[in-house]
Amino acid sequence: MSTADLPMANNHQDPLRVRLTRQVEGIAPWDDLESVHATAVVKWIASRAPLYRVLKPNVPDPHLVSYFVVLNKREELLLVAHRNAGLWLPSGGHVEPGEDPWETVARECQEELHIPATPHPLVGDRPFFITTARTRGEGSHVDVSLWYVLEAETVTTYDRQEFDGVRWVTLSQILDEPADVLDPHMHRFTRKLIAAFG
């Protein structure tokens, strides 16, 4: 068997890895960096490396995360002031062992924002964007993040243990925000979203 055959052979034996690979390969890359990230993630999945965090904050390194960006009809998106990260981020959470990343979105949306996860008609329940990024602070590690887009008009309560606050921001306001107060890929995600809306 050649090296080129290994990813398919490995994934064929694990339905979760097959499904995850298909989800990643279904993301249309916005730019060269997203293409590089997607290719690296597919290889990582195929390598049989552990995918799910089993010990906080960083075991194994890297591990899977599902982000979900809540968008309203005014094309504003919801950011949360994440206490541990010290950044304004989309909501999200770590994918549990054996969990599909969309199941993570549904669970975390209820836990963090106290609303049901309603897929945005633009992309449905498929990931829209993919990134890998090293976290800041103690226990730094690499998050492999699948970004989903949800729709909701209001968020009235949220997890105050995890977040200092929440705010709705227009897409243009996101691009005016300094990059160092946001997820490092937030500007790129926003540009991809603007392009998708045409």
Side-chain angles (χ1 to χ4, degrees):
M1 179 183 302
S2 73
T3 305
D5 294 331
L6 286 174
M8 185 61 74
N10 284 342
N11 280 341
H12 184 68
Q13 298 170 10
D14 185 338
L16 283 172
R17 287 180 190 263
V18 170
R19 188 163 65 242
L20 185 58
T21 298
R22 288 183 181 147
Q23 291 173 351
V24 172
E25 291 177 340
I27 300 169
W30 161 246
D31 56 16
D32 289 342
L33 182 56
E34 188 174 12
S35 183
V36 167
H37 285 184
T39 299
V41 170
V42 167
K43 288 180 181 176
W44 172 63
I45 296 166
S47 75
R48 310 294 294 175
L51 303 178
Y52 311 103
R53 186 180 74 176
V54 294
L55 185 63
K56 292 182 179 182
N58 58 354
V59 177
D61 182 9
H63 53 250
L64 276 173
V65 170
S66 286
Y67 260 162
F68 48 95
V69 179
V70 179
L71 198 65
N72 65 24
K73 290 179 181 169
R74 297 179 303 282
E75 295 187 5
E76 298 168 324
L77 55 83
L78 186 76
L79 292 180
V80 299
H82 196 281
R83 289 179 191 265
N84 289 344
L87 299 170
W88 285 95
L89 306 171
S91 295
H94 293 87
V95 181
E96 297 291 339
E99 190 174 49
D100 183 89
W102 172 255
E103 295 172 341
T104 307
V105 170
R107 175 176 52 77
E108 292 282 349
C109 192
Q110 193 65 239
E111 289 175 7
E112 294 184 351
L113 302 179
H114 310 146
I115 60 172
T118 303
H120 195 282
L122 179 72
V123 290
D125 61 1
R126 300 177 315 277
F128 176 72
F129 191 58
I130 185 165
T131 61
T132 63
R134 180 155 293 280
T135 63
R136 298 181 356 172
E138 189 175 339
S140 177
H141 59 276
V142 173
D143 280 344
V144 176
S145 302
L146 297 172
W147 297 51
Y148 294 80
V149 183
L150 306 182
E151 65 175 356
E153 291 308 305
T154 58
V155 172
T156 56
T157 64
Y158 57 89
D159 183 347
R160 293 181 184 274
Q161 290 184 348
E162 193 162 355
F163 309 138
D164 284 323
V166 300
R167 64 184 171 128
W168 292 95
V169 188
T170 67
L171 301 181
S172 61
Q173 286 172 330
I174 287 285
L175 296 178
D176 289 338
E177 290 272 339
D180 61 354
V181 303
L182 302 169
D183 177 279
H185 300 289
M186 195 71 215
H187 284 168
R188 293 176 49 248
F189 168 84
T190 303
R191 289 187 182 98
K192 183 175 184 179
L193 196 61
I194 290 169
F197 276 118

